[in-house]
Amino acid sequence: MNFPAMNNGRQTQTAANSSSSAFSFISKGWREVRDSADADLRLMKDRANSFKNIAASFDREIENLINSATPTFTVPPIRQSSEIEFMKKLHPKISEFRRVYSAPEISRKVMEKCGPRANLGIDLSRIRSTIAAEVYGTMEEDMKGIIEFNKVRSEKLNEEGQFGEWEPIRVLKTRFREFEKKNSTVEIFAGFKNNEIVEKVKSSLKAICKEPQESKEVPPLDVPELLAVLVRQSGLFLDQFGIRRNLCDKIVENLCSKRKNQLVLRSLVAGEPPAVDPDKINDELDLRIASVLQSTGHCSESGGSWTDFMKPDVTDGKRHVAIVTTASLPWMTGTAVNPLFRAAYLAKSEKQKVTLLVPWLCRSDQELVYPNNLTFCSPEEQENYIRDWLEERVGFKADFRISFYPGKFSRERRSIIPAGDTSQFIPSKDADIAILEEPEHLNWYHHGKRWTDKFNHVVGIVHTNYLEYIKREKNGALQAFFVKHINNLVTRAHCHKVLRLSAATQDMPKSVICNVHGVNPKFLKIGEKVAAERELGQQAFSKGAYFLGKMVWAKGYKELIDLLAKHKNDLDGFKLDVYGNGEDAHEVQSTAKRLDLNLNFQKGRDHADDSLHGYKVFINPSVSDVLCTATAEALAMGKFVVCADHPSNEFFSSFPNCLTYKSPEDFVAKVKEALANEPQPLTPEQRYNLSWEAATKRFIEYSELDRILNNEHSGTMVRKSNGKLIARSVSMPTLSEMVDGGIAFAHYCLTGNEFLRLCTGAIPGTRDYGRQQCKDLHLLPPQVESPIYGCYL
């Protein structure tokens, strides 16, 4: 048995198997190392190519920046050449950067240096030194010029096999951001904020860095500035204590000494005398307040802390004007006729859209108000009547809208009282400019939104001297006292501007005196016809004197009967024809008959009626009128007018045919003078002053409507030193504005109580419109229109 030989064979076979396994293990390990190395080389090549593309892109950005720096405008020659030289010196450095780092050998160099502990370095020291030498000279911090990329295999590739943001580009962006921030404080850019080349550089740097624009911090108001605002806005209040406006201006000027010094410095730099205008200090203070508020983002829709005017629908370039009045045709009263003409002539210019808002009365009230038993079944029917009447007199088709609001007739006050919130019948998109005809009347019992809150500009026109009427009633002096203050409060709270037709009206806050009424063109044509007949030698006037007006005692009938009764013997043979209808007709006629006055009473008629053309003298002794329309019409027809020397007739006194008297004896003399002579023909200028064209021009001027329609921002905008406009701050309301707001709030609360409304003479049920008015005007019930706590009651 050869056992040793068998053992040797087994040992030989085992050794062979071990050698084969070791060789297989070594081969497998080598393949893994080779595959891993190949993967690393591919990643290195891709990274090198990516770096080369980014370098080329960066080079193109710099070349675009250099090309855009070509000056196409006039700049100071020294600065211009320095900027161009800077860009020229920067160009070779960028070219060298591109040549070194964009060469085809970059991949090979990168792979050669990418050992286990090798570093990849990009030398940006030349760019740094060029920028530092040309712009800053010496900088506190040296730009770090070598950006190292640590090649560590575990950090090159994340779990997804992707690299993060490339470190050199990120650091480069950071350095450019720092460059831009420090750029604003460097002297080379201090005088060239508007320089186009610098703006291009900044915009290019922002495009590269993609840094969001940072908001500039505005320092808050200091204590002197707050005190200056308080003193300036309390001027009206301090004036009551004898502190005049110029003293307040001095106080504001001293408190704003910092701003004053800045203004003096600006004047010296501009080569002007170092004088400081108080208005400039006020504008600077307004600008400071507006800047602080804008930096906080504070704003409000209307009123409140920051006035941001509501933006009406002006897509067609036209503003919206809403005219709201207290009467409507066929009631021939001044507040029905004059607003109608105003709407027609405002719409005639086609510069603005016009809406006329008039009251709608139920059938029962129409029978009490409208003459000759004339009634309407629907608002559309009444609108057609109004338009036909107007077109017949003005001779053109007026393009304006007529809307209706619910109203009720008060027999005691002989006027129409609005029912509900009148302002709600003007859509919010049209709530731009409001003209309130008789603003005190419209707002006595107004329980709704404040007009100045809904509209951008509110103008009130005072038609009636209510105090004169009230004094004639029982306990009239006491009533007139309360009504006077109520009128002042409601007009102050609801109007920006108030126009008084004459000085005969109550003096109100924010008011000016101007006659903004004209004459129906039909009367001017009658006057022209009379003048033509007289030139041909024909007799134009075949009758004597007449009086025309609503037959109520307050419309001059009391004064007329007193004058004729006192001087009946002096006016022996004088006959006067009287035309009018009214509540006091029977009493007036019986009194004249009892005194045996030579008065011939006739039914009321239109002043343009043919039967009235032949009269030569119009007598109007009324002192309760504010501006008598009949007087203006008589002058337009070329007649004599005998009237009292009264503020209501001041506008007419400049006409030669207007004979004013100061005493009863003077009245007799003026009547005899008029009957004995012929009136003078009107000149073209006098005819124009009586026309509605002239009245509309005066209205636009005195109501400041021309500034509003021309979109000027007087009083609401401040111009900054760079030419931009910024809204004037009204964030701290003046004492007057705070008082107005308090009055409006108190008035709203009082008019919301039905008991208080009835105690002050309101018609029951006028806080909201009634069921019949809802039906006539196709309105939702007020409980649905204004639900309480989300419930429809």
Side-chain angles (χ1 to χ4, degrees), residues 414 549-552 557 580-586:
R414 296 173 181 173
K550 186 177 181 180
M551 201 168 292
V552 293
Y557 284 89
N581 301 319
E583 295 86 349
D584 299 332
H586 177 72

Side-chain angles (χ1 to χ4, degrees), residues 400-443:
F400 65 93
R401 185 172 58 187
I402 297 179
S403 299
F404 292 84
Y405 69 87
K408 291 186 177 181
F409 180 70
S410 171
R411 293 188 180 186
E412 293 77 13
R413 298 180 182 272
R414 296 173 181 173
S415 59
I416 298 174
I417 304 299
D421 181 9
T422 310
S423 66
Q424 76 180 77
F425 295 93
I426 300 295
S428 297
K429 64 183 181 64
D430 296 338
D432 185 12
I433 301 169
I435 301 172
L436 305 183
E437 310 277 354
E438 292 197 317
E440 70 277 44
H441 184 159
L442 285 169
N443 291 292

Side-chain angles (χ1 to χ4, degrees), residues 132-183:
E134 295 296 334
V135 180
Y136 300 112
T138 59
M139 300 180 63
E140 295 181 358
E141 295 182 4
D142 292 333
M143 292 183 63
K144 296 181 180 181
I146 300 178
I147 304 168
E148 297 183 351
F149 172 71
N150 295 321
K151 183 186 177 307
V152 180
R153 180 177 178 180
S154 60
E155 297 178 357
K156 289 192 302 180
L157 188 63
N158 55 19
E159 294 179 358
E160 297 176 357
Q162 296 178 351
F163 284 89
E165 184 181 8
W166 193 36
E167 186 69 15
I169 297 303
R170 187 186 66 79
V171 174
L172 186 61
K173 290 181 180 180
T174 303
R175 295 307 176 196
F176 272 116
R177 284 196 294 266
E178 295 175 358
F179 173 78
E180 182 188 7
K181 291 179 181 178
K182 295 179 180 179
N183 189 23

